[in-house]
């Protein structure tokens, strides 16, 4: 696989890169502003853990339902406009979810917010890949790291709003308006012209086409570019087994992420009696550590190989969160969520990259399958954890986190032991 080397990007490309970074930042921050409010919403609605788990599963359900429509929206509106429109509507539906006075309205608003988030996710990745082709080198991972910064910022904003005594309506209105303005300003600096541009450098099978087939992959993806092998062997049992293992590895990453977004604040405030403000630190710690893992992940993979990094990450998840659940304290639990976030930082990109390189599959097919099916982790996890929490305790339900780490340890052998040349 070869990589094109271009000169210094022009001003328009550099501005577009900043604009896409802003879109990723707003996408991470919007939903993160709602998450620390979950314990208050659950208490106000007077629902149990099982009903709460089913309600919050509406967000990934909406994303799954709308994922296939994202390509149509992008073709009609353009990736930049689709991303901005999705951002505006996501903020509006998140505001409605925060103001909902019934569990049905809460779930319906989350479903619609998830649907718009899926459109935004695919569109911003598609536009990011357009910018990447102009650069002639990989920059897509930097956008996902910025998404993590946005998520941390959103969680911190929510914690500050709670500490200041702002109502959910006031807080989420400020968030929706602020990030809507940011997205609209960013639109002015995005790339113009058609989505499919003539490739002077000879790249094929990647870029916007890859993004449109990748589906709604949440805070993850790869942006490889270059020439693919023209022919691939026919897929066999080995390919099917590896693809299934990669789906499970990616799903393990989403299970951990969902535990932080859906249950961290609730566990810290309910089971461990932490203040509402401090309870927000669990999710912030997870996405903050995930950001650090993404920043240093490429260098670690280059040196040790994807398989070793994934196994080390799985071990960190098992040890960190396992110890936090075995000896439950507020500081220990926050550190446990941080360890879990750091451990899964490279899992989804690794699974997507390996799937895209599987023999016997058309370019983008393996990536699309992993991206689509890993959403099931976000869909299934909340109600399962909720049912276990009602039957036993939320502490037992959160055992899904170290179990996800064990799953990675068992399946990481399908990943590459060393760095692939030119990829």
């Amino acid at each position: 696989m070869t990589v094109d080397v271009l000169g210094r990007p022009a001003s328009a490309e550099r501005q577009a890169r900043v604009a896409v970074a802003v879109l990723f930042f707003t996408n991470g921050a919007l939903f993160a502003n709602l998450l620390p409010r979950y314990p208050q919403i659950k208490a106000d609605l007077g629902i149990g853990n099982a009903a709460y788990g089913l309600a919050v599963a509406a967000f990934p359900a909406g994303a799954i339902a709308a994922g296939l429509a994202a390509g149509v929206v992008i073709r009609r509106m353009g990736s930049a406009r689709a991303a901005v429109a999705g951002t505006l509507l996501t903020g509006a539906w998140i505001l409605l979810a925060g103001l909902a006075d019934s569990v049905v309205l809460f779930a319906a608003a989350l479903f619609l917010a998830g649907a718009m988030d899926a459109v935004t996710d695919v569109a911003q990745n598609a536009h990011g890949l357009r910018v990447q082709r102009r650069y002639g080198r990989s920059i897509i991972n930097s956008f996902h790291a910025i998404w993590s910064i946005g998520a941390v910022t959103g969680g911190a904003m929510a914690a500050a709003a709670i500490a200041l005594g702002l109502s959910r309506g006031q807080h989420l209105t400020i968030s929706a308006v602020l990030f809507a303005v940011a997205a609209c300003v960013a639109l002015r600096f995005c790339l113009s012209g058609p989505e499919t541009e003539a490739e002077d450098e000879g790249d094929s099978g990647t870029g916007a086409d890859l993004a449109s087939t990748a589906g709604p992959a949440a805070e993850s993806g790869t942006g490889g570019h270059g020439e693919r092998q023209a022919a691939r062997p026919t897929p066999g049992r080995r390919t099917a087994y590896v693809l299934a293992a990669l789906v499970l590895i990616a799903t393990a990453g989403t299970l951990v992420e969902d535990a932080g977004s859906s249950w961290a604040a609730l566990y810290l405030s309910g089971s461990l009696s932490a203040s509402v403000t401090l309870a927000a630190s669990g999710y912030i710690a997870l996405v903050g550590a995930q950001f650090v893992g993404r920043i240093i992940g490429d260098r670690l993979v280059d040196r040790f190989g994807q398989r070793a990094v994934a196994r080390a990450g799985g071990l960190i998840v098992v040890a960190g969160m396992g110890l936090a659940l075995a000896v439950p304290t507020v500081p220990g639990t926050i550190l446990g969520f941080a360890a879990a976030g750091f451990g899964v930082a490279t899992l989804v990109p690794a699974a997507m990259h390996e799937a895209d390189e599987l023999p016997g599959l058309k370019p983008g097919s393996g990536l699309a399958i992993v991206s689509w099916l890993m959403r099931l982790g976000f869909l299934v996890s909340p109600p399962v954890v909720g049912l276990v929490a009602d039957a036993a305790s939320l502490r037992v339900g959160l055992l899904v986190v170290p179990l996800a780490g064990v799953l990675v340890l068992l399946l990481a052998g399908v990943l590459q032991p060393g760095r692939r040349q030119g990829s």
Side-chain angles (χ1 to χ4, degrees):
M1 184 178 292
T2 61
V3 178
D4 299 318
V5 179
L6 303 181
R8 180 177 174 80
S11 176
E13 280 74 40
R14 295 197 299 271
Q15 290 178 351
R17 181 177 182 176
V18 173
V20 174
V22 170
L23 293 177
F24 271 81
F25 181 90
T26 60
N27 183 246
L30 269 176
F31 189 51
N33 265 277
L34 178 64
L35 298 178
R37 294 287 190 171
Y38 273 177
Q40 295 175 337
I41 294 173
K42 180 176 180 291
D44 290 347
L45 296 179
I47 56 178
N49 288 321
Y52 165 79
L54 288 170
V56 298
F59 188 90
I64 290 175
L68 292 179
V72 177
V73 175
I74 292 171
R75 285 191 293 273
R76 292 192 175 185
M77 297 181 63
S79 57
R81 289 188 178 90
V84 173
T87 298
L88 301 183
L89 292 173
T90 299
W93 292 121
I94 285 175
L95 172 59
L96 182 60
L99 298 175
D101 57 3
S102 70
V103 66
V104 173
L105 182 58
F106 176 60
L110 285 181
F111 181 90
L112 293 170
M116 293 301 99
D117 180 75
V119 173
T120 303
D121 181 36
V122 178
Q124 68 188 11
N125 273 285
H127 205 75
L129 288 168
R130 283 190 65 193
V131 177
Q132 175 174 274
R133 290 197 298 275
R134 298 284 190 91
Y135 266 65
R137 57 185 171 86
S138 178
I139 60 172
I140 195 70
N141 288 322
S142 67
F143 294 137
H144 289 277
I146 290 170
W147 184 96
S148 296
I149 297 177
V152 173
T153 302
M157 285 175 60
I162 293 170
L164 292 172
L166 296 182
S167 68
R168 290 199 297 272
Q170 293 171 326
H171 160 216
L172 295 175
T173 297
I174 293 172
S175 171
V177 172
L178 176 64
F179 295 120
V181 171
C184 289
V185 172
L187 179 60
R188 297 183 57 191
F189 299 96
C190 289
L191 297 177
S192 59
E195 291 300 305
T196 55
E197 301 170 281
E199 294 299 327
D200 296 332
E201 304 305 319
D203 290 356
S204 63
T206 54
D209 292 337
L210 183 60
S212 66
T213 61
E219 37 44 68
S220 309
T222 60
H225 52 282
E227 299 174 359
R228 291 185 181 278
Q229 295 177 351
R232 295 187 178 192
T234 302
R237 291 182 180 179
R238 170 66 181 173
T239 298
Y241 163 75
V242 173
L243 184 60
L246 293 174
V247 168
L248 290 175
I249 289 173
T251 302
T254 65
L255 287 174
V256 174
E257 291 180 23
D258 179 74
S261 63
S262 298
W263 300 103
L266 195 63
Y267 177 64
L268 284 163
S269 63
S271 302
L272 301 183
S273 301
S275 67
V276 178
T277 303
L278 185 59
S281 301
Y283 175 70
I284 295 172
L286 186 145
V287 293
Q290 187 180 56
F291 165 74
V292 174
R294 286 171 172 170
I295 289 295
I296 67 174
D298 287 334
R299 282 175 287 178
L300 292 175
V301 170
D302 285 344
R303 182 170 182 179
F304 301 107
Q306 193 63 259
R307 182 183 301 173
V309 172
R311 282 176 172 163
L315 185 60
I316 291 172
V317 173
V318 173
M321 201 61 193
L323 182 60
L325 293 173
V327 186
T329 64
V330 172
T333 299
I334 293 173
L335 289 175
F337 277 112
F342 184 82
V344 302
T346 65
L347 291 185
V348 173
M352 293 172 70
H353 179 267
E354 293 295 331
D356 200 40
E357 297 291 329
L358 283 176
L361 298 179
K362 294 180 180 179
S365 297
L367 176 60
I369 293 171
V370 170
S371 301
W372 185 250
L373 292 180
M374 77 177 194
R375 283 278 184 177
L376 293 177
F378 288 112
L379 180 64
V380 174
S381 177
V384 169
V385 173
L387 289 170
V388 174
D390 279 347
S393 67
L394 185 51
R395 180 182 171 193
V396 175
L398 285 175
L399 285 173
V400 68
V401 176
L403 288 176
V406 171
L407 186 64
V408 173
L409 288 172
L410 294 175
L411 298 175
V414 300
L415 299 173
Q416 289 298 309
R419 182 174 181 265
R420 287 184 180 175
Q421 296 299 320
S423 63

